[in-house]
Amino acid sequence: VIIYLLITVIEYWLASIGHSQALRADAFNNLSGVISTFVLIVGLHVATNMKDDDFVGKTIPSDTTRDKETIQLSRFRLETIFTLITSFIIILISGQIIIQSATSLFNLGTESHPNLYSAIGAGIATILMLIVWQINLKNGKKLQNSALLAAAKDSLGDVITSLGTLLTVLCAFVFKVAWLDSVVSIVIGCFILWSGLQIFQECTLNLADYIDPTLENNIKKTVEQLSEVCKAVELKGRYNGNVLLVDMIVMVDAKMSAFEVYQLNERIESELDAKFKVFDVSMQIVPDPESLDENDVQF
């Protein structure tokens, strides 16, 4: 956040004295990174804070029938909600960039051309973004954290954007191509808009309990490959924040003991955690009708 904020200040200042719409757009792009990261930190803090006895300002009764883990899983959704708010901010920022750049494009005769101050700003931003990318990539691999690895990919995209801004400003300055600076800033604005819409889509799908059907199918196949499982009758996955949860109904031999069912439950949880990083499995066991004798009670 500190490096992103530093880049934003430097780029916006040098864009003002360097007369570059593209550099100003890149500054707003990094500002969206500051906002999204800060909001994510706040969301994670709220989502993982188990010491509070309230939930978004509403008191949680001490005698609630929900256990602490269930309440914790509910808190994880706050991370998604905070990220959804971020997507609206990013979309508003992109709209401002596109409108401002388009206005500048239609007033080329009265606008000043970019100078070397803008190129210096883009160069500094590129170097600092490389540092951010390396920090996220190194820590993501060290901690095996998908969120940090995703942040590393996002940082690499910002490196490319800053490098593209640098080349644009240099070309506009050297070849005196006035329209290039404004056109590239519109492209950057559209890139930010696309990023905001992607975040909005992902958060909305998570809140609507949607996951990739292919992932659900692979989870079902993994469960059905276990010898003790006759059939996975029903399976539904959902996300709380970035945590994947699975609810399922599993059909097994009617003669299985309670201890064998418990062992199967533990094995399924272990398998899904190892292969798909499933955080929690809620499983209902039902008897396979084909394993019942004629004298057994039919349900």
Side-chain angles (χ1 to χ4, degrees):
V1 171
I2 292 171
I3 296 177
Y4 263 113
L5 192 58
L6 181 63
I7 294 172
T8 301
V9 172
I10 292 174
E11 283 193 318
Y12 192 83
W13 174 55
L14 291 177
S16 298
I17 63 176
H19 310 294
S20 173
Q21 288 293 331
L23 187 61
R24 184 178 288 107
D26 195 37
F28 277 111
N29 178 39
N30 292 317
L31 177 62
S32 69
V34 173
I35 295 171
S36 61
T37 307
F38 179 75
V39 172
L40 178 60
I41 289 172
V42 174
L44 283 170
H45 172 72
V46 174
T48 57
N49 187 7
M50 282 299 295
K51 295 180 180 179
D52 289 347
D53 59 354
D54 67 273
F55 192 85
V56 198
K58 292 294 183 180
T59 304
I60 300 174
S62 57
D63 58 345
T64 178
T65 55
R66 296 195 300 170
D67 59 20
K68 286 187 176 182
E69 184 176 307
T70 304
I71 296 173
Q72 181 66 73
L73 290 174
S74 298
R75 287 180 184 272
F76 285 155
R77 289 203 174 215
L78 294 175
E79 177 190 342
T80 305
I81 294 170
F82 274 79
T83 308
L84 181 65
I85 294 170
T86 303
S87 70
F88 292 127
I89 297 173
I90 293 174
I91 291 170
L92 287 173
I93 289 174
S94 67
Q96 182 182 3
I97 292 171
I98 293 170
I99 293 172
Q100 190 172 0
S101 301
T103 303
S104 177
L105 186 62
F106 287 107
N107 294 283
L108 290 177
T110 59
E111 296 284 343
S112 301
H113 298 316
N115 56 41
L116 288 179
Y117 288 111
S118 301
I120 292 171
I124 293 172
T126 303
I127 294 170
L128 292 177
M129 283 311 309
L130 280 169
I131 295 173
V132 174
W133 172 58
Q134 277 298 313
I135 291 172
N136 286 332
L137 184 63
K138 181 181 178 180
N139 288 318
K141 289 181 176 179
K142 180 181 177 181
L143 301 173
Q144 296 184 340
N145 185 279
S146 58
L148 280 175
L149 290 174
K153 290 182 180 179
D154 184 52
S155 300
L156 182 59
D158 289 334
V159 170
I160 296 171
T161 302
S162 295
L163 183 61
T165 302
L166 173 60
L167 295 176
T168 298
V169 171
L170 287 175
C171 289
F173 174 74
V174 173
F175 299 107
K176 305 299 181 184
V177 183
W179 55 266
L180 183 61
D181 183 61
S182 296
V183 169
V184 170
S185 65
I186 293 175
V187 173
I188 293 174
C190 292
F191 170 76
I192 299 172
L193 176 62
W194 175 249
S195 299
L197 291 174
Q198 281 188 312
I199 295 171
F200 173 78
Q201 182 189 48
E202 182 180 350
C203 292
T204 304
L205 291 175
N206 283 0
L207 291 172
D209 289 344
Y210 172 90
I211 70 167
D212 185 1
T214 303
L215 175 60
E216 277 192 335
N217 189 46
N218 290 336
I219 292 174
K220 183 178 180 181
K221 287 181 179 178
T222 299
V223 173
E224 290 182 332
Q225 285 174 356
L226 299 176
S227 58
E228 300 91 341
V229 176
C230 299
K231 183 180 179 182
V233 182
E234 185 177 319
L235 188 146
K236 177 174 172 41
R238 68 184 190 278
Y239 283 98
N240 276 12
N242 286 319
V243 173
L244 177 58
L245 310 174
V246 171
D247 300 325
M248 66 173 67
I249 300 175
V250 176
M251 192 175 288
V252 300
D253 190 329
K255 301 295 191 300
M256 285 184 70
S257 66
F259 181 68
E260 288 173 329
V261 169
Y262 170 78
Q263 286 183 313
L264 175 61
N265 190 11
E266 292 295 306
R267 186 179 173 191
I268 288 176
E269 285 190 353
S270 178
E271 287 277 339
L272 298 186
D273 177 48
K275 290 186 177 180
F276 306 104
K277 301 297 181 185
V278 176
F279 181 80
D280 185 63
V281 179
S282 296
M283 187 165 57
Q284 179 182 352
I285 301 293
V286 297
D288 181 8
E290 295 183 3
S291 67
L292 293 169
D293 297 330
E294 293 182 0
N295 298 327
D296 292 326
V297 178
Q298 297 286 338
F299 292 96

